[in-house]
């Protein structure tokens, strides 16, 4: 089978590479000339563990190629995936579907023979039928069900573990029209290797598949926000949120994932998808007030995190230096979209702080999004002369800092760990005041090492 994937970002590139690994012939298309040029030189435009090797293997095998030209890629393809961005629309929070519809129109003009057009982008309920309308309008000679079908196949991969998530997903969701057996057969064929692994494949209607994606992301964002608020309560009453999370997470009905208290969820999906679900629900006259609250609570939390750092600096960061470890919204990605660092760092700068930061993969993107930040060559360089050390992202390399060296590098003795990667007593014993999330602050005893 030959397919085309339109949009070669985190989802499109990983999906294209994985489908080619399954044995399908794939052309990945992107309008961004620089991305395609880099891919054709064997360079990855994004950081995703294992992706370079997977791409190289499949390019070598002749199953995977990259192009800026949509027409030849779509011409004769049996399936075309739309994997373009669906960011929040400026001003109202609805998903911006401009890229999806533009891609659909281009696909329509390029299609020959029966083609399944599949939205892999996260799109609001009703988008599938609008995509069908866009195609029908562009090509009145084509008939839905005869010449083409539109399918919703939302993607659940996580950046940082995207390949494993795609290759061994918890489930595959495929939404089709009622009479689209031919389309279902194409999708079954594409995902056949996963059937062999007994991956649950859920066939639903298009609207249901579209909603599953938003419901899943909003639920996860709600779970994170719940534990973040429990963390606030823990701080107020002297309890430990790590233990609370463990205590509730061991209940099989709750589960222990997504119960890590932190600076608030970020990234390219949860913030925009929660907002888009809220808008869809309002438009449908079925408001989801729990998700509306989650959005408000999470936005406010990022501001509170900056205040927490100011408090750790004895109430003022004016003229002080903050050493920041981690900028991306989570480890193992270079994705900076909606990262907590984008709210916290400017808030500190507005209060007069200077910021020196290090991130293993995110600094290139961060440079475009943050102003007046000095970028360091490693963690120790970032905290040189710092009054406060802030851990913003839990990259593995920050989990075992040499605290004697940290003490030598830093001017101050305050550590704010927004990811709870250290034990309070340990860091206090190293001579630091340690502030984390949902756990009592720890201060160096008179008898501490330093
Ligand atoms: P991205 O911004 O990394 O990539 C989108 C790509 O599409 C860009 O390279 C852009 O140049 C390209 N593009 C836009 N219009 C085009 C067109 N007409 N023709 C060719 N290329 C075009 O986005 P992403 O993070 O991969 O997300 C894509 C979609 O998948 C979004 O809807 C997102 O919500 C969803 N999603 C993302 C993730 C994730 O972890 N990033 C996970 C699941 C779902």
């Amino acid at each position: 089978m030959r397919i085309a994937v339109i949009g070669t970002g985190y989802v499109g590139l990983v999906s294209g590479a994985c489908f080619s690994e399954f044995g399908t012939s794939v052309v990945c298309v992107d309008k961004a000339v620089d991305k395609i040029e880099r891919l054709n030189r064997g360079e990855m435009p994004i950081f995703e563990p294992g992706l370079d090797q997977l791409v190289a293997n499949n390019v070598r095998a002749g199953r995977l190629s990259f192009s800026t030209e949509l027409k030849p890629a779509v011409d004769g393809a049996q399936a075309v995936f739309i994997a373009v961005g669906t960011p929040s629309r400026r001003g109202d929070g609805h998903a911006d579907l401009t890229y999806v519809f533009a891609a659909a129109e281009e696909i329509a003009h390029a299609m020959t023979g029966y083609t399944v057009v599949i939205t892999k982008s996260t799109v609001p309920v009703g988008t599938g039928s609008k995509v069908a309308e866009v195609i029908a309008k562009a090509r009145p000679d084509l008939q839905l069900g005869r010449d083409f079908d539109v399918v919703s196949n939302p993607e659940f991969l996580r950046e940082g573990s995207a390949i494993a998530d795609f290759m061994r997903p918890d489930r595959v969701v495929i939404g089709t029209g009622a009479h689209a057996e031919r389309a279902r057969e194409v999708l079954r064929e594409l995902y056949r290797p996963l059937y062999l692994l007994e991956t649950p494949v859920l066939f639903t209607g298009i609207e249901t598949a579209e909603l599953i994606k938003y419901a899943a992301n909003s639920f996860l964002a709600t779970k994170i926000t719940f534990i973040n608020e429990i963390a606030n309560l823990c701080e107020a009453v002297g309890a430990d949120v790590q233990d609370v999370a463990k205590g509730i997470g061991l209940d099989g009905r709750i589960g222990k994932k997504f119960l890590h208290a932190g600076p608030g969820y970020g990234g390219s999906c949860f913030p925009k998808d929660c907002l888009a679900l809220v808008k869809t629900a309002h438009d449908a006259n079925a408001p989801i007030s729990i998700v509306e609250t989650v959005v408000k609570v999470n936005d406010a939390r990022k501001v509170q995190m900056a205040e927490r750092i100011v408090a750790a600096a004895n109430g003022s960061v004016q003229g002080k230096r903050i050493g920041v470890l981690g900028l991306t919204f989570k480890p193992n990605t270079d994705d900076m979209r909606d990262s907590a660092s984008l709210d916290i760092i400017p808030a500190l700068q507005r209060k007069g702080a200077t910021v020196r930061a290090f991130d293993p993969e995110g600094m290139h993107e961060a440079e475009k999004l943050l102003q007046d930040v000095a970028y360091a060559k490693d963690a120790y360089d970032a905290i040189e002369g710092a009054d406060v050390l802030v851990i913003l992202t839990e990259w593995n390399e920050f989990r075992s800092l040499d605290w004697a060296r940290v003490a030598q590098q830093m001017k101050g003795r305050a550590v704010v760990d927004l990811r709870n990667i250290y034990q309070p007593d340990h860091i206090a014993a190293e001579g630091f005041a340690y502030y984390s999330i949902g756990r009592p602050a720890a201060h160096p005893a008179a008898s501490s090492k330093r």
Side-chain angles (χ1 to χ4, degrees):
M1 188 182 309
R2 189 162 75 70
I3 68 168
V5 179
I6 314 304
T8 308
Y10 291 86
V11 165
L13 181 53
V14 171
S15 307
C18 290
F19 277 128
S20 67
E21 179 73 9
F22 290 167
T24 304
S25 178
V26 182
V27 183
C28 287
V29 179
D30 206 293
K31 279 195 174 329
V33 179
D34 58 319
K35 261 188 196 181
I36 297 300
E37 281 178 354
R38 289 185 70 182
L39 284 161
N40 281 329
R41 284 199 301 269
E43 292 169 21
M44 292 304 105
I46 54 166
F47 173 74
E48 181 60 42
L51 188 60
D52 45 359
Q53 202 54 52
L54 186 73
V55 167
N57 290 348
N58 285 288
V59 168
R60 208 176 306 120
R63 287 189 296 263
L64 179 62
S65 62
F66 303 100
S67 177
T68 52
E69 299 291 319
L70 184 141
K71 195 166 180 16
V74 168
D75 186 351
Q78 280 156 287
V80 181
F81 284 88
I82 299 178
V84 301
T86 49
S88 281
R89 199 160 68 188
R90 242 172 236 270
D92 67 4
H94 272 292
D96 182 348
L97 297 174
T98 315
Y99 304 110
V100 172
F101 295 145
E105 194 175 338
E106 269 192 83
I107 293 165
H109 289 298
M111 277 168 14
T112 52
Y114 175 75
T115 313
V116 186
V117 178
I118 306 150
T119 47
K120 206 166 230 332
S121 299
T122 302
V123 293
V125 176
T127 305
S129 47
K130 287 189 191 144
V131 165
E133 281 168 25
V134 168
I135 295 172
K137 193 166 167 220
R139 286 284 303 276
D141 55 316
L142 300 183
Q143 194 183 318
L144 182 67
R146 184 192 68 192
D147 303 303
F148 73 98
D149 274 303
V150 175
V151 168
S152 165
N153 172 219
E155 182 50 55
F156 299 95
L157 64 76
R158 297 161 298 174
E159 291 172 18
S161 54
I163 295 169
D165 288 347
F166 193 94
M167 297 282 201
R168 291 181 168 274
D170 290 340
R171 79 308 207 181
V172 173
V173 173
I174 297 169
T176 67
H179 304 292
E181 186 45 43
R182 203 169 164 195
R184 285 193 283 273
E185 197 41 53
V186 170
L187 270 291
R188 256 187 224 112
E189 183 60 29
L190 273 171
Y191 282 107
R192 189 167 304 284
L194 298 185
Y195 273 94
L196 302 177
L197 296 172
E198 297 186 358
T199 304
V201 178
L202 205 64
F203 283 96
T204 68
I206 299 181
E207 289 76 13
T208 304
E210 290 167 338
L211 192 52
I212 285 172
K213 175 65 191 176
Y214 282 99
N217 274 1
S218 300
F219 186 84
L220 293 171
T222 302
K223 206 171 171 189
I224 294 172
T225 306
F226 177 83
I227 201 68
N228 283 341
E229 292 214 294
I230 291 290
N232 290 346
L233 180 58
C234 286
E235 286 164 22
V237 300
D240 183 325
V241 75
Q242 308 265 95
D243 290 338
V244 173
K246 201 171 187 181
I248 63 172
L250 285 168
D251 185 327
R253 293 168 302 176
I254 295 173
K256 55 186 176 208
K257 290 186 180 162
F258 281 79
L259 285 180
H260 298 288
Y265 62 78
S268 64
C269 292
F270 288 180
K272 78 170 174 62
D273 292 349
C274 286
L275 220 48
L277 182 69
V278 164
K279 295 293 172 191
T280 301
H282 259 281
D283 290 353
N285 246 334
I288 306 184
S289 52
I290 189 167
V291 181
E292 288 176 31
T293 305
V294 162
V295 171
K296 273 193 218 123
V297 169
N298 196 65
D299 285 348
R301 185 160 186 86
K302 293 179 182 172
V303 180
Q304 290 155 13
M305 292 299 113
E307 284 160 8
R308 203 173 267 252
I309 296 164
V310 172
N314 291 327
S316 170
V317 289
Q318 180 64 45
K320 291 188 179 161
R321 183 184 274 197
I322 314 292
V324 172
L325 302 187
L327 295 166
T328 50
F329 81 98
K330 67 174 182 179
N332 298 323
T333 182
D334 57 349
D335 200 345
M336 285 291 301
R337 288 177 285 184
D338 264 315
S339 173
S341 64
L342 298 178
D343 290 295
I344 295 172
I345 290 177
L348 294 171
Q349 290 170 322
R350 281 193 297 274
K351 290 173 190 291
T354 56
V355 174
R356 192 169 170 81
F358 173 71
D359 187 283
E361 295 291 341
M363 293 193 291
H364 185 64
E365 279 305 302
E367 273 173 5
K368 302 176 198 161
L369 302 166
L370 289 163
Q371 259 101 56
D372 300 323
V373 171
Y375 292 99
K377 65 178 193 305
D378 60 27
Y380 299 101
D381 185 28
I383 57 175
E384 172 76 51
D387 296 279
V388 183
L389 184 172
V390 179
I391 299 171
L392 268 185
T393 318
E394 68 279 32
W395 285 89
N396 271 343
E397 65 181 84
F398 304 147
R399 290 178 185 272
S400 52
L401 292 173
D402 173 349
W403 288 96
R405 196 168 159 204
V406 171
Q408 269 169 15
Q409 297 285 104
M410 277 182 74
K411 189 167 123 209
R413 286 290 176 270
V415 175
V416 182
D417 176 2
L418 298 181
R419 300 292 181 168
N420 286 359
I421 62 176
Y422 284 102
Q423 284 307 322
D425 293 350
H426 291 180
I427 307 307
E430 296 284 350
F432 295 86
Y434 177 80
Y435 307 90
S436 57
I437 303 284
R439 303 183 295 179
H443 296 278
S447 60
S448 71
K449 282 192 196 169
R450 268 173 283 277

